[in-house]
Amino acid sequence: MKIFYHLMLFVCFINTGIVQAQNNYPQNYFRNPLNISMQLAANFGAIRTNHFHMGLDLRTNSQENLPVLAAAEGYVSRIKVERYGFGNAIYITHPNGYTTVYAHLNKYFNTLDEYVKEKQYKDEKWEQDITFQPGQFPVEKGQQIALSGNTGGSAGPHLHFEIRDTKTEECLNPLLFGFAIPDNIAPIISGLYWYDRRFSTYEPGANAIAVKKTGSGYSADVIRVNSPLISFGVKAVDKANKGFNLGIYQAELLMDGKLIYSFKIDKIHYDDTRYINGCIDYTKFIRDKMGIQHLADLPGMKLQNYSIPNLTGVINLQDEEVHNIEMVLKDTKGNTSRLTTKVQLNKTSDKVPSTGKTVTPNEGKTIATENTEISFSKNAVYDAVNFNAYEKAEADPNAASNNIVLHSSYIPVHDEYTLKIKPNRKLTNSEKDKAVIVLDYGSDKDVVKVKWNGDWAEGKFNRLGTAKLLIDNSSPSVSSGWAEGGLVNSGSLLLKGTTKTGDIVSFRAELDGKWLRFARVKDNFVYTFDEKCPKGSGSHTLKVTTSNTAGNTNIQTFTFQR
């Protein structure tokens, strides 16, 4: 018995050690990357359109150009300069196996900034993605590496900060690394929903249940459902002592005291971040701006290290007894909220019918109308979709097809699908060369240049909506903010870009015949005066060449004095 007892203790110790090793992140190794206290505008795993938030958004008191500091010693291993996304970003690789990322920066430290600038002029290209060797730009903990800003896809001044596993490139939850961010506020629950799981969470969709705050917890009256197969979703936010609404870190669902589902947001790879759409009620998020997280797996949700395997959260009510339901939400500090309720099966309603055009997870499918084909991969959907595709008339004289309605923009797709459209008339080679497919999904439009496959126009998209084939002969353009030939006394040149359809995909500026570095800021282009055009240098000619998605090119010339 003693041998068995000690053996069991040894096994338990080993298992516990494995669990601890998986989450044994170094505490207090990384410092605050700002000189002001850490206050969160967003946390790791917060819900975003088509992705999880992959780091911390640190508030900069609505200011730009605060010093950004290296969180630990290491070396600059990569920088990025891009229009959207991170804007200007620095990656620092550390000797302990982690990499930190600092994004939306205005400026790198001087020697790095000069290196990047020289490469931009050498390449005659503003956007950059440069990797470095360990000895090129070493940094010490607390060394200033940049100035904070609002570049890229930022909606306001802040610092985006990430910690990644250097080897796997997985993003890790920075709040698990011991940063001193005071938090004694438990998650706040504001909504509860149930879903009929006999066919799909999308049909008929969410059924709302009133939630009441009761003392230190939350409750709901007995939930009487008309389906024997259901799952739950919860609307909730977390808060630190100072900061905005944050995402939920951990949730558990128990039925009659037994754990039936749990998720925890510890780490996510950028390759998998789009799986957010299988973790939330996408329809509610896009249509109603409501963040409801499923407390159950969808059949096409394949995100690793998120939920516990084999605990699906789908409830099979095999009797009409009243069952106890408990939901437990936690943040990284252990602050906990509980919601208790009961569920009971009433008379079962008719099952939602499926059709021959049902698109299901893990099974690719092609759906056709008279003049279109939509081809989905096996990874396209997270749950079954009664896919409705049809054509309707389009009045635009530049259109070369009907409008093709692709089900609904309120249903997500995970990866790209191929859309093929047959033109409604014979197109000339010139028209084919200027053909684009426009996909309107309500809040915005995606436009892609057509790839021709015989008489079929092809494009790839990763959202649903209404599409059409369009012949775009319009030219892009930029407009200046200064009087032609006039004196420019400001510190920069601003050119506002416009194009009728799609985007300006190519921009080149030449000052007196030489390439000039303009930064792309959303739809605008900005040159900050430097040694390439000093004060008192006289009259200058600026030649700007732009091209749009369809391939139309425009050359414009501006003059000014400096």
Side-chain angles (χ1 to χ4, degrees):
M1 285 297 293
K2 286 185 178 180
I3 295 174
F4 176 78
Y5 174 76
H6 288 299
L7 179 61
M8 290 305 294
L9 278 180
F10 178 75
V11 171
C12 290
F13 175 77
I14 293 296
N15 287 338
T16 302
I18 291 172
V19 172
Q20 288 178 342
Q22 289 173 343
N23 297 292
N24 190 22
Y25 300 130
Q27 301 298 293
N28 306 312
Y29 179 90
F30 296 110
R31 62 152 291 160
N32 176 0
L34 296 170
N35 274 330
I36 60 175
S37 62
M38 294 181 78
Q39 296 183 31
L40 299 181
N43 63 340
F44 184 83
I47 301 171
R48 294 290 185 268
T49 301
N50 294 316
H51 68 281
F52 288 99
H53 190 249
M54 302 290 273
L56 304 180
D57 280 352
L58 302 179
R59 300 176 67 181
T60 58
N61 296 330
S62 301
Q63 299 177 45
E64 298 184 29
N65 298 317
L66 297 187
V68 176
L69 314 175
E73 68 168 319
Y75 69 95
V76 176
S77 53
R78 182 185 182 188
I79 67 95
K80 288 184 76 174
V81 179
E82 58 187 352
R83 173 188 179 189
Y84 290 121
F86 282 169
N88 300 324
I90 289 181
Y91 299 65
I92 297 179
T93 295
H94 306 280
N96 65 342
Y98 299 99
T99 295
T100 50
V101 183
Y102 315 74
H104 307 310
L105 308 170
N106 273 353
K107 188 179 185 294
Y108 307 120
F109 64 92
N110 288 341
T111 53
L112 179 60
D113 204 61
E114 283 301 314
Y115 181 98
V116 174
K117 181 179 178 179
E118 287 179 12
K119 191 167 191 312
Q120 288 171 321
Y121 272 99
K122 179 183 177 181
D123 297 345
E124 296 189 349
K125 181 182 178 184
W126 172 70
E127 288 198 309
Q128 295 285 332
D129 189 347
I130 309 171
T131 56
F132 301 98
Q133 297 302 310
Q136 284 184 270
F137 293 103
V139 296
E140 297 296 325
K141 185 174 184 176
Q143 176 183 330
Q144 182 173 328
I145 56 171
L147 295 176
S148 69
N150 187 30
T151 59
S154 174
H158 73 281
L159 175 67
H160 178 85
F161 175 69
E162 295 182 1
I163 300 178
R164 301 185 183 183
D165 182 308
T166 302
K167 186 176 181 179
T168 66
E169 295 188 343
E170 285 179 304
C171 290
L172 310 173
N173 192 332
L175 295 180
L176 302 176
F177 285 76
F179 289 106
I181 303 176
D183 182 5
N184 57 14
I185 303 174
I188 300 168
I189 301 173
S190 59
L192 176 63
Y193 303 82
W194 73 269
Y195 299 83
D196 185 342
R197 295 300 296 268
R198 288 173 295 174
F199 175 68
S200 171
T201 53
Y202 305 134
E203 295 183 39
N207 299 277
I209 304 297
V211 172
K212 298 175 287 188
K213 185 78 169 68
T214 53
S216 60
Y218 300 83
S219 66
D221 294 335
V222 177
I223 304 168
R224 293 182 170 85
V225 299
N226 58 6
S227 169
L229 208 61
I230 67 167
S231 64
F232 287 103
V234 64
K235 179 186 175 189
V237 297
D238 191 25
K239 283 182 177 290
N241 288 6
K242 293 182 180 179
F244 297 177
N245 288 342
L246 308 176
I248 298 300
Y249 166 64
Q250 182 179 0
E252 297 173 343
L253 174 66
L254 297 93
M255 178 173 168
D256 296 330
K258 180 181 179 181
L259 183 68
I260 61 173
Y261 184 78
S262 176
F263 75 73
K264 185 188 292 184
I265 307 178
D266 283 345
K267 55 185 177 180
I268 307 167
H269 197 285
Y270 267 98
D271 289 346
D272 297 327
T273 190
R274 194 176 176 87
Y275 277 116
I276 180 69
N277 295 333
C279 301
I280 64 171
D281 187 326
Y282 182 89
T283 302
K284 285 283 191 181
F285 183 70
I286 297 298
R287 186 184 64 198
D288 304 324
K289 313 303 179 189
M290 292 173 57
I292 301 170
Q293 289 179 263
H294 285 299
L295 296 181
D297 284 339
L298 300 191
M301 210 291 285
K302 301 174 183 177
L303 180 63
Q304 300 294 313
N305 305 309
Y306 176 78
S307 57
I308 298 177
N310 302 318
L311 296 183
T312 67
V314 178
I315 298 171
N316 190 349
L317 295 171
Q318 298 181 358
D319 55 48
E320 296 184 4
E321 299 297 318
V322 175
H323 296 274
N324 294 312
I325 298 293
E326 183 179 17
M327 299 167 193
V328 183
L329 276 60
K330 301 178 183 180
D331 62 22
T332 56
K333 298 287 188 179
N335 299 304
T336 302
S337 292
R338 287 180 168 82
L339 187 157
T340 57
T341 185
K342 299 177 186 295
V343 65
Q344 182 181 30
L345 175 64
N346 276 356
K347 184 179 179 181
T348 302
S349 67
D350 292 335
K351 185 178 178 180
V352 178
S354 61
T355 71
K357 290 185 178 180
T358 298
V359 181
T360 57
N362 308 311
E363 182 182 10
K365 191 161 192 175
T366 296
I367 293 173
T369 66
E370 184 179 356
N371 298 293
T372 64
E373 287 185 1
I374 310 105
S375 297
F376 295 103
S377 78
K378 65 179 183 179
N379 299 316
V381 296
Y382 306 101
D383 211 344
V385 180
N386 254 330
F387 202 87
N388 186 22
Y390 59 93
E391 300 180 35
K392 62 180 183 180
E394 168 57 57
D396 188 339
N398 295 312
S401 75
N402 288 330
N403 277 314
I404 297 95
V405 178
L406 305 172
H407 196 66
S408 167
S409 60
Y410 300 138
I411 301 297
V413 289
H414 182 70
D415 56 5
E416 288 187 327
Y417 62 90
T418 300
L419 174 64
K420 295 171 65 175
I421 303 176
K422 187 177 294 183
N424 57 11
R425 55 186 172 82
K426 182 71 174 178
L427 300 181
T428 65
N429 288 336
S430 177
E431 287 177 314
K432 283 187 174 183
D433 188 50
K434 303 301 181 184
V436 296
I437 297 177
V438 180
L439 177 74
D440 187 336
Y441 49 86
S443 60
D444 205 349
K445 296 178 181 180
D446 287 342
V447 181
V448 301
K449 188 169 178 61
V450 161
K451 176 184 177 182
W452 288 98
N453 186 352
D455 291 331
W456 290 91
E458 288 188 5
K460 292 184 180 295
F461 299 92
N462 62 7
R463 297 187 74 155
L464 300 176
T466 301
K468 64 182 175 184
L469 181 63
L470 195 71
I471 310 304
D472 180 22
N473 289 306
S474 64
S475 294
S477 66
V478 294
S479 58
S480 70
W482 65 88
E484 185 65 17
L487 182 66
V488 177
N489 286 317
S490 64
S492 62
L493 295 178
L494 171 66
L495 295 172
K496 295 185 177 181
T498 58
T499 188
K500 183 178 178 181
T501 305
D503 195 11
I504 294 178
V505 297
S506 174
F507 172 94
R508 180 182 176 85
E510 296 177 357
L511 183 70
D512 303 325
K514 295 183 178 180
W515 185 84
L516 192 64
R517 183 183 69 159
F518 272 77
R520 185 82 183 258
V521 183
K522 307 295 190 291
D523 292 325
N524 299 327
F525 304 86
V526 180
Y527 164 67
T528 301
F529 283 111
D530 56 12
E531 73 281 358
K532 304 294 182 181
C533 188
K535 269 191 174 183
S537 54
S539 296
H540 297 280
T541 298
L542 182 69
K543 177 184 174 183
V544 177
T545 305
T546 52
S547 299
N548 63 10
T549 305
N552 300 301
T553 299
N554 189 17
I555 299 175
Q556 297 170 265
T557 302
F558 305 90
T559 59
F560 65 92
Q561 296 181 47
R562 179 69 175 156

